[in-house]
C-alpha cells in the first residue's frame, strides 16, 4: 500500500513528537484544516481496529 505524505508534514509548524503530533501556534488555516482532517481520519481508522 502506498500512503501519500500529507503536506502539513513538511510544514515548519508541524511537531512530530512520538505520540504527540501537533501544530505550533500561528499555523496557517490551510495547514490546520489539513492536519485536523488527517488526525480525524487516523483516529477513525484506529477505532475500527
Amino acid at each position: 500500500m502506498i500512503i501519500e505524505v500529507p503536506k502539513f508534514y513538511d510544514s515548519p509548524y508541524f511537531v512530530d513528537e512520538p505520540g504527540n503530533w501537533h501544530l505550533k501556534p500561528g499555523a496557517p488555516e490551510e495547514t490546520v484544516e489539513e492536519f485536523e482532517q488527517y488526525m480525524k481520519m487516523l483516529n477513525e481508522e484506529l477505532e475500527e481496529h
Side-chain angles (χ1 to χ4, degrees):
M1 174 190 277
I2 297 174
I3 300 173
E4 184 176 327
V5 176
K7 293 178 188 174
F8 71 79
Y9 198 81
D10 292 326
S11 169
Y13 294 96
F14 176 60
V15 180
D16 181 13
E17 294 176 348
N20 186 26
W21 282 14
H22 62 278
L23 297 174
K24 295 177 184 176
E29 187 62 32
E30 179 180 309
T31 302
V32 173
E33 289 176 10
E34 181 188 25
F35 177 78
E36 289 176 351
Q37 288 176 348
Y38 182 85
M39 295 306 290
K40 180 180 176 185
M41 182 264 317
L42 185 63
N43 287 330
E44 288 173 353
E45 285 186 17
L46 290 173
E47 288 176 1
E48 290 177 5
H49 295 92

